[in-house]
């Protein structure tokens, strides 16, 4: 009588997606790409990830089964199935909740494979217990011990406990002060639902004191949604809010550079943005300063450097050049502000020359002067409309709108004035002349009587010399 051959593993037929595929039950991937693709689609698992890490497919399948039975269900009053050793404590967990964590699921399956000779049979028994209407009471199982070592210093015991608590409750209150540690715990345990809840809390809790830590957390865990939210928040609040607080010091240079390059960056004016950036540099170089200094202190600090080279040309400032290249210095148009730029010797001379040249050719579209005679005040104006179109006119202004140096003020509401406006420029060696007729007009304080006729000219010549002649006839 011959002995029977040992039983060979038979192919089992499993329902995968909408098509039955032949698969080995003991192997997560047998080379059947079509079956694997259908299975990944049914379990919402990325196919490429499944090919790199086939074990994850098994974990995802188990998690999907348990997720349908464990959430929002009270835990039966029975002993825990698993003891988790972590952070110097022992945590008692139940199988249905444990499988909501991908990390704990893998640890449990590894421990199951090492503790029994027939891990597949044990796992099948475990899964059958989750099927509705099959087994109401699970048979007692041997309590298993698993260990998890955490190297992330951000994870705290309290935050880790909150993460484990989320396995049993659908809603766990997350405080902004604890959210970083809870996020790190959710990442370690691979609890995606809790991780996304933390991200949502952080996006709503952005402030000058949290934007740095939340941004770095987004970079650490490659959470683009969070990093983008931090960037957009800082684009709106860098100048009006963060730039007035000591928290400005904490903004990383890389994040600051991204914000300065953004077309959505808000600022009151370009000089205000420059002051904010100068303050940031000051705080980087003076780490012991704990309060926001006044502007004069910041300017005096940079003035104290060697006058031989500008600050950005020196070793200390060369790494900061990309930040200041993002500024639109041509947007600084007030003469006082330009003088401050020269005084502090912060920018290279070539930068300042370029700014001045741009102002001469493009920025000064309006020029005006104030004159006073016999207690009457007039503003004479020249306006550049485009590259070849200009206009010149004068208008009466109230004495309260100007600084009266001589103290002589006329109280007359109207005054008769005879005036003429001339303009001339040199084009190809020939002088072009433009003028109005001699005009007599009553000037009051309201429109249209407050404004003279305008001399409008078209020319390619520069510069343009304009003159205003007027007398006060007897009236």
């Amino acid at each position: 009588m011959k002995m029977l051959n040992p039983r060979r593993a038979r192919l089992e037929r499993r329902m995968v997606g909408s098509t039955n595929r032949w698969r080995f039950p003991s192997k997560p991937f047998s080379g059947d790409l079509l079956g694997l693709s259908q299975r990944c689609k049914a379990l919402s698992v990325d196919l490429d990830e499944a090919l790199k890490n086939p074990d994850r497919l098994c974990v995802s399948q188990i998690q999907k089964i348990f997720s349908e039975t464990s959430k929002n269900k009270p835990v039966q009053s029975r002993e825990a199935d698993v003891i988790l050793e972590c952070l110097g404590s022992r945590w008692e967990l139940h199988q249905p909740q444990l499988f909501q964590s991908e990390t704990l699921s893998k640890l449990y399956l590894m421990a199951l494979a090492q503790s029994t000779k027939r891990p597949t049979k044990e796992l099948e028994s475990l899964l059958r217990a989750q099927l509705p209407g099959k087994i109401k009471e699970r048979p007692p199982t041997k309590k298993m011990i698993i260990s998890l070592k955490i190297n992330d210093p951000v994870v705290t015991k309290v935050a880790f406990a909150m993460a484990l608590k989320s396995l049993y409750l659908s809603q766990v209150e997350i405080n902004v002060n604890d959210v970083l540690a809870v996020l790190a715990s959710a990442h370690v345990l691979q609890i995606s639902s809790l991780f996304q809840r933390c991200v949502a809390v952080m996006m709503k809790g952005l402030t000058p004191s949290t934007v740095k830590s939340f941004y770095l957390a987004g970079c650490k865990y490659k959470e683009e949604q969070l990093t983008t939210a931090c960037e957009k928040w800082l684009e709106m609040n860098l100048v009006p809010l963060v730039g007035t607080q000591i928290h400005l010091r904490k903004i990383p240079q890389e994040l600051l550079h991204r914000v300065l390059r953004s077309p959505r960056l808000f600022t009151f004016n370009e000089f205000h943005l420059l002051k904010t950036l100068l303050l940031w540099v000051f705080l980087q170089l003076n780490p012991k300063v704990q309060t926001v200094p006044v502007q004069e202190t910041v300017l005096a600090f940079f003035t104290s450097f060697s006058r031989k080279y500008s600050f950005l040309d020196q070793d200390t400032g060369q790494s900061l050049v990309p930040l200041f290249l993002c500024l639109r210095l041509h947007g600084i148009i007030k003469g006082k502000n330009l003088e401050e730029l020269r005084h502090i010797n912060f920018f290279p001379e070539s930068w300042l020359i370029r700014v001045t040249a741009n102002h001469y050719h493009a920025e000064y579209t309006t020029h005006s002067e104030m004159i006073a005679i016999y207690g009457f005040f007039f503003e004479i104006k020249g306006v550049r409309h485009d590259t070849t179109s200009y206009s010149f006119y004068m208008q009466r202004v109230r004495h309260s709108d100007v600084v009266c140096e001589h103290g002589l003020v006329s109280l007359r509401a109207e005054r008769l004035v005879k005036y003429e406006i001339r303009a001339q420029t040199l084009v190809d060696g020939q002088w072009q002349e433009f003028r109005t007729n001699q005009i007599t007009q009553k000037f009051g304080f309201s429109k249209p009587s407050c404004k003279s006729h305008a001399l409008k000219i078209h020319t390619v010549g520069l510069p343009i010399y304009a003159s205003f002649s007027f007398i006060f006839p007897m009236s």
Side-chain angles (χ1 to χ4, degrees):
M1 184 173 171
K2 294 183 179 179
M3 296 183 61
L4 297 175
N5 291 331
R7 178 182 292 181
R8 296 180 181 179
R10 292 187 308 162
L11 290 173
E12 291 186 3
R13 198 171 192 184
R14 295 182 180 179
M15 178 66 74
V16 182
S18 59
T19 306
N20 290 335
R21 308 295 301 175
W22 290 100
R23 301 188 59 81
F24 286 101
S26 58
K27 295 183 181 180
F29 175 50
S30 62
D32 186 353
L33 288 175
L34 178 58
L36 180 65
S37 173
Q38 293 171 338
R39 192 176 180 192
C40 288
K41 187 176 182 181
L43 297 173
S44 300
V45 176
D46 184 70
L47 176 61
D48 292 335
E49 284 295 321
L51 289 171
K52 295 177 184 176
N53 186 9
D55 291 334
R56 187 185 172 194
L57 198 61
C58 178
V59 173
S60 299
Q61 187 173 13
I62 296 172
Q63 284 184 306
K64 187 170 184 179
I65 295 173
F66 276 101
S67 65
E68 297 171 355
T69 59
S70 63
K71 281 295 181 181
N72 298 319
K73 277 191 176 183
V75 180
Q76 297 178 357
S77 57
R78 58 179 174 81
E79 290 189 7
D81 307 300
V82 180
I83 294 178
L84 170 63
E85 294 181 343
C86 185
L87 298 175
S89 298
R90 292 165 66 91
W91 316 80
E92 293 188 345
L93 302 173
H94 299 80
Q95 287 171 340
Q97 283 69 34
L98 174 143
F99 277 101
Q100 305 311 308
S101 162
E102 187 172 330
T103 299
L104 298 182
S105 300
K106 291 179 179 178
L107 289 175
Y108 180 80
L109 294 176
M110 289 174 59
L112 184 65
Q114 295 172 0
S115 63
T116 179
K117 296 180 179 179
R118 304 183 69 181
T120 304
K121 184 176 181 180
E122 292 288 335
L123 183 56
E124 288 178 354
S125 176
L126 175 64
L127 295 177
R128 285 197 203 99
Q130 302 303 315
L131 298 177
K134 293 292 183 182
I135 301 177
K136 298 300 180 183
E137 294 185 5
R138 291 179 53 241
T141 57
K142 180 181 178 182
K143 190 175 293 187
M144 193 171 296
I145 299 177
I146 59 176
S147 298
L148 176 62
K149 184 178 180 180
I150 298 178
N151 298 319
D152 192 339
V154 180
V155 178
T156 64
K157 189 176 291 187
V158 173
F160 190 77
M162 292 181 64
L164 294 178
K165 184 179 178 180
S166 72
L167 299 176
Y168 290 81
L169 301 175
S170 59
Q171 294 293 331
V172 176
E173 185 177 352
I174 304 174
N175 191 289
V176 175
N177 297 328
D178 303 323
V179 69
L180 277 173
V182 178
L183 180 81
S185 301
H187 182 264
V188 169
L189 292 171
Q190 291 295 291
I191 307 176
S192 59
S193 59
L194 179 62
F195 187 88
Q196 291 304 319
R197 281 196 59 212
C198 290
V199 170
V201 171
M202 296 165 78
M203 290 171 62
K204 292 180 180 178
L206 286 170
T207 64
S209 61
T210 62
V211 63
K212 173 199 173 182
S213 56
F214 289 1
Y215 176 78
L216 293 179
C219 295
K220 178 180 179 180
Y221 301 118
K222 296 180 175 58
E223 187 61 32
E224 186 176 351
Q225 183 183 10
L226 179 57
T227 56
T228 301
C230 292
E231 290 176 18
K232 289 186 176 180
W233 184 90
L234 197 57
E235 288 167 2
M236 295 296 105
N237 294 280
L238 174 63
V239 173
L241 185 60
V242 183
T244 63
Q245 301 184 23
I246 198 66
H247 299 295
L248 177 66
R249 168 189 284 137
K250 301 178 183 179
I251 305 301
Q253 182 172 339
E254 180 265 339
L255 173 58
L256 186 61
H257 188 226
R258 293 175 70 91
V259 171
L260 290 173
R261 291 175 58 189
S262 171
R264 297 179 297 271
L265 174 62
F266 170 81
T267 181
F268 302 111
N269 54 58
E270 204 65 22
F271 190 68
H272 214 119
L273 178 59
L274 172 61
K275 290 192 297 183
T276 301
L277 197 50
L278 289 175
L279 175 59
W280 180 86
V281 177
F282 175 87
L283 294 174
Q284 302 306 307
L285 299 178
N286 297 273
K288 294 183 179 180
V289 175
Q290 298 301 317
T291 58
V292 178
V294 296
Q295 182 185 354
E296 288 73 16
T297 302
V298 177
L299 297 180
F301 171 77
F302 292 114
T303 306
S304 65
F305 282 82
S306 171
R307 306 293 296 182
K308 187 175 181 181
Y309 301 102
S310 69
F311 178 84
L312 292 181
D313 283 331
Q314 300 178 33
D315 294 339
T316 310
Q318 285 185 355
S319 62
L320 304 175
V321 169
L323 294 178
F324 288 90
L325 283 174
C326 297
L327 296 182
R328 302 170 182 175
L329 295 178
H330 59 272
I332 302 175
I333 59 176
K334 290 186 178 181
K336 178 183 177 182
N337 297 340
L338 292 172
E339 284 300 319
E340 287 186 0
L341 293 188
R342 288 190 174 276
H343 180 67
I344 63 175
N345 193 35
F346 188 89
F347 295 98
E349 186 66 23
S350 59
W351 291 31
L352 297 177
I353 292 175
R354 186 166 62 250
V355 170
T356 304
N358 289 338
H359 277 280
Y360 180 80
H361 290 293
E363 292 299 322
Y364 288 124
T365 59
T366 302
H367 182 76
S368 65
E369 294 286 347
M370 195 71 65
I371 59 174
I373 184 169
Y374 304 134
F376 294 91
F377 298 87
F378 293 89
E379 182 182 23
I380 57 177
K381 277 190 172 183
V383 180
R384 179 184 181 183
H385 302 287
D386 54 44
T387 55
T388 61
S389 179
Y390 306 83
S391 63
F392 303 89
Y393 63 91
M394 57 187 284
Q395 64 183 18
R396 187 181 177 187
V397 296
R398 297 180 184 273
H399 68 276
S400 57
D401 296 335
V402 298
V403 178
C404 184
E405 298 180 356
H406 304 290
L408 182 62
V409 176
S410 174
L411 300 180
R412 293 181 61 174
E414 294 182 334
R415 186 61 171 95
L416 196 65
V417 180
K418 189 175 184 179
Y419 63 91
E420 181 182 16
I421 306 174
R422 293 174 176 268
Q424 51 188 339
T425 184
L426 192 63
V427 178
D428 296 331
Q430 300 292 324
W431 284 98
Q432 289 184 344
E433 296 186 8
F434 309 89
R435 58 184 288 259
T436 64
N437 296 324
Q438 291 187 1
I439 303 170
T440 302
Q441 176 182 334
K442 267 189 180 180
F443 280 84
F445 290 116
S446 58
K447 294 181 178 180
S449 63
C450 67
K451 185 177 178 180
S452 72
H453 290 270
L455 172 63
K456 299 179 180 180
I457 67 173
H458 293 275
T459 182
V460 295
L462 283 175
I464 300 173
Y465 301 89
S467 60
F468 294 75
S469 304
F470 58 90
I471 59 174
F472 290 168
M474 292 184 61
S475 59

